[in-house]
Amino acid sequence: MDLLYTNFRIPVEEDGLLIATLARKLKVPSDSISGLRFLRRSLDARKKPNLTFVYTIQFSLSVPNTEVNRILARVPGLKEAPVEIPVLWNKPSIVLKHRPVVIGAGPAGYFAALALARRGYAPLVLERGDSVEERTRKVQEFWDTGTLDTESNVQFGEGGAGTFSDGKLTTRIQDRRISDVLRTFVKHGAPSEIQFLAKPHIGTDVLKEVVKGIRMEIESLGGEIRFQTKVTGLIPSTGRMKGVIVNHGEEIPAEAVILAIGHSARDVYKLLHSMNITLERKSFAIGLRVEHPQALINLSQYGVEEHPQVGPADYQLTYQDVTTGRGAYAFCMCPGGKVVAATSEEGGVVTNGMSGYARDTQIANSAIVVTVGPEDFSTAHPLAGLEFQRKWEHKAFIAGGSNYHAPAQRVIDFLERRVTGRFDLSPTYAPGVVPCELHGVLPTPVGDVLDRALRVFNGKIKGFAGEKATLTGVETRTSAPIRIVRNTQGESSSMEGLYPAGEGAGYAGGITSAAVDGLRSAEYLMAQYAPIG
């Protein structure tokens, strides 16, 4: 019989003895347990430094049914495993005249394309940036020299913005498609542990190889990926898609288009607005990147400066400001990582966090951000949030010397509103930093809330606002400032055959949720259209 066991707890030091511990807990022979599958593993550090892994596992138990019933009655959290129900697909009556087009090769675009390719639709993927190999070279050149390619950078190119991050796969959504996303990552080179860790991550180094593997599978199934192919126009016909224009000239016919542009494709938002595609302003968050010695975070979270069995510690911090009603929180926390330059436009400075799979830089960083919304924007225009981002990115650019260096400051100096030029922990941001009073590159309400939030966070993690804490600004691309409104069939409410998807459409926030929304958009398309011939 297959059983499901939730809240199975084991000290981290005994993790290698899991089956023996399970057998002892159930009072059965070890050899009666087989087919063990890890569904989830989290860490309980409440009794630090004594840490405990908490598992959800599935396994087969070969003992008489009467004994199984006794075990089920005796062991809390143990029950029969549910039977998975397969998804049934209906073949639609409308047959496509042209292959579907997917705009964007980030997680939403690639997973949409992969779903289409696996069911015979032979999609065409259009990506404005480069392949991940060439993109990596250009990003490194920008970090080394400040030479920016506005079409191939941390935001644009194969793999999307998440490729140059920590590769975090944590998501708050509950969706049947998540397991398919994780299996696909593992199939193409990600560690199998991501399928059960509570906070899975791949790291930018591994994620690049995974992205190439997904590309190759799409192509092997008849799909096509075209890089350096920027969508510069849509071709409508009586309220529905007829095709797209790329690179300001070539027309590609298509009656079904998945729009997975990512949250930084500001020119595409402008194009959509000019064509009367319904857009909505939405809230997001802006702030600064904070860095600490990883040992400081480990000591707070684990009770020791290093714990080899569990790796570098992360944290989750939130603060609700009673004065303004705004929330502040840690976002995109990267243990053992670094802060990177992530702009996609000339004349702006944008920060982000990144780490490799090993998370071994000994520096922890995260964004500390404050919520902003339509009430903070200068107008009611649908693109007002975009202009709000651009305004503060440009202020950071000027403050950093107008050469893509970033303004930076110790936390303790930020709280005292002074510039000392001193850094007890050197900022990791490249191309470089300039000492600056960071309140000047933030909206006054955001800076004021950060003051109060950082002091509260210092009470939760000792030293969080201490001398060895460094701030670099600004972080503005936490999520899309716009939502492309879609109907219950997943299409744009203004254009039949146009399927907005992922983070850029305003329906996701991170790699996994964007991939899931890409799969969902492909399902919407496949529910309406059958593949060519």
Side-chain angles (χ1 to χ4, degrees):
M1 179 180 291
D2 283 352
L3 300 177
L4 182 71
Y5 195 173
T6 58
N7 200 33
F8 173 62
R9 307 172 71 85
I10 184 169
V12 296
E13 295 82 5
E14 299 177 17
D15 196 45
L17 305 173
L18 193 146
I19 289 182
T21 303
L22 176 62
R24 188 168 61 251
K25 178 77 172 178
L26 303 182
K27 298 180 181 178
V28 299
S30 294
D31 59 9
S32 67
I33 299 171
S34 63
L36 181 65
R37 290 177 56 206
F38 301 116
L39 304 184
R40 180 178 172 82
R41 189 186 79 186
S42 59
L43 180 69
D44 185 347
R46 288 176 295 179
K47 296 181 180 180
K48 54 183 176 284
N50 298 316
L51 309 182
T52 301
F53 285 135
V54 183
Y55 280 97
T56 297
I57 55 177
Q58 185 171 325
F59 58 94
S60 295
L61 186 61
S62 301
V63 298
N65 287 341
T66 54
E67 179 63 16
V68 171
N69 291 335
R70 282 195 291 268
I71 294 170
L72 289 171
R74 178 172 52 81
V75 180
L78 188 67
K79 62 182 180 180
E80 290 189 42
V83 177
E84 291 188 10
I85 301 174
V87 177
L88 300 178
W89 300 95
N90 295 320
K91 185 174 181 179
S93 57
I94 303 174
V95 178
L96 287 173
K97 297 178 182 178
H98 308 282
R99 57 183 171 171
V101 166
V102 177
I103 302 173
Y110 257 11
F111 274 85
L114 185 58
L116 292 168
R118 286 173 172 173
R119 295 191 58 209
Y121 284 75
L124 171 62
V125 180
L126 306 176
E127 170 53 52
R128 68 193 296 165
D130 290 305
S131 68
V132 72
E133 299 96 328
E134 178 62 12
R135 179 188 181 199
T136 298
R137 186 191 67 77
K138 289 183 176 180
V139 167
Q140 191 61 55
E141 182 180 9
F142 174 51
W143 292 343
D144 290 342
T145 68
T147 302
L148 174 67
D149 186 325
T150 57
E151 298 299 337
S152 190
N153 46 61
V154 169
Q155 306 295 344
F156 299 146
E158 185 180 29
T163 304
F164 292 91
S165 68
D166 184 63
K168 282 177 288 294
L169 304 178
T170 307
T171 180
R172 296 177 182 175
I173 67 171
Q174 300 292 323
D175 194 284
R176 60 173 174 80
R177 302 170 185 86
I178 292 174
S179 58
D180 185 32
V181 170
L182 298 180
R183 281 194 299 268
T184 298
F185 280 134
V186 172
K187 176 181 178 181
H188 294 294
S192 60
E193 67 194 28
I194 67 170
Q195 297 179 97
F196 63 83
L197 293 180
K199 297 179 180 180
H201 88 108
I202 297 178
T204 190
D205 47 348
V206 175
L207 187 54
K208 291 174 187 177
E209 297 303 313
V210 171
V211 165
K212 286 191 287 185
I214 294 174
R215 177 215 307 166
M216 293 172 66
E217 182 178 353
I218 293 169
E219 292 175 332
S220 73
L221 295 171
E224 180 185 354
I225 292 94
R226 290 176 55 179
F227 299 111
Q228 297 183 352
T229 306
K230 181 178 179 179
V231 173
T232 52
L234 303 179
I235 307 171
S237 177
T238 60
R240 67 160 299 108
M241 285 298 304
K242 183 180 177 181
V244 300
I245 301 170
V246 299
N247 297 338
H248 300 282
E250 180 186 358
E251 295 187 6
I252 299 174
E255 65 267 44
V257 176
I258 292 178
L259 186 68
I261 55 175
H263 60 38
S264 294
R266 293 168 171 173
D267 53 344
V268 180
Y269 289 137
K270 186 176 180 181
L271 168 67
L272 296 175
H273 178 66
S274 72
M275 298 184 66
N276 296 317
I277 301 297
T278 304
L279 308 175
E280 292 179 342
R281 298 176 301 168
K282 63 180 282 289
S283 299
F284 55 101
I286 71 170
L288 306 167
R289 274 274 154 184
V290 65
E291 296 183 88
H292 300 92
Q294 184 64 53
L296 183 150
I297 304 301
N298 293 347
L299 183 62
S300 173
Q301 303 298 79
Y302 296 158
V304 292
E305 291 190 349
E306 185 175 358
H307 202 304
Q309 281 109 337
V310 295
D314 64 3
Y315 55 79
Q316 294 178 327
L317 296 168
T318 60
Y319 166 75
Q320 190 66 35
D321 190 61
V322 296
T323 303
T324 64
R326 296 178 190 266
Y329 57 95
F331 171 79
C332 186
M333 196 273 150
C334 298
K338 62 182 179 180
V339 178
V340 299
T343 190
S344 56
E345 289 186 340
E346 294 180 349
V349 161
V350 180
T351 63
N352 194 14
M354 188 181 86
S355 59
Y357 176 69
R359 290 176 164 175
D360 57 1
T361 68
Q362 306 304 314
I363 303 294
N365 78 81
S366 74
I368 304 297
V369 294
V370 176
T371 54
V372 295
E375 67 277 6
D376 297 297
F377 308 155
S378 57
T379 71
H381 194 282
L383 305 183
L386 181 157
E387 294 303 326
F388 179 86
Q389 287 177 322
R390 183 177 280 147
K391 172 184 176 178
W392 297 105
E393 292 168 11
H394 184 65
K395 282 184 177 290
F397 179 76
I398 298 299
S402 300
N403 58 0
Y404 300 106
H405 286 52
Q409 189 176 21
R410 292 189 307 170
V411 171
I412 198 167
D413 292 334
F414 178 80
L415 296 176
E416 295 296 328
R417 304 194 179 217
R418 66 191 182 194
V419 180
T420 64
R422 175 180 170 186
F423 293 107
D424 297 272
L425 178 68
S426 297
T428 58
Y429 175 98
V433 301
V434 173
C436 177
E437 215 295 88
L438 288 172
H439 286 88
V441 298
L442 294 169
T444 298
V446 170
D448 291 347
V449 172
L450 282 180
D451 278 344
R452 296 189 283 272
L454 287 165
R455 288 184 169 90
V456 170
F457 296 162
N458 191 60
K460 296 179 179 180
I461 297 178
K462 185 178 180 181
F464 198 89
E467 293 184 348
K468 291 186 177 181
T470 300
L471 293 168
T472 308
V474 289
E475 178 101 2
T476 54
R477 310 282 181 95
T478 53
S479 65
I482 291 165
R483 178 172 288 111
I484 307 170
V485 179
R486 62 190 187 190
N487 61 25
T488 55
Q489 286 75 46
E491 293 174 301
S492 161
S493 62
S494 312
M495 181 81 70
E496 291 183 40
L498 182 65
Y499 297 85
E503 194 161 348
Y507 295 96
I511 294 171
T512 301
S513 61
V516 163
D517 201 59
L519 291 175
R520 184 183 294 114
S521 294
E523 291 170 11
Y524 283 134
L525 187 157
M526 293 186 290
Q528 292 184 263
Y529 301 101
I532 300 171

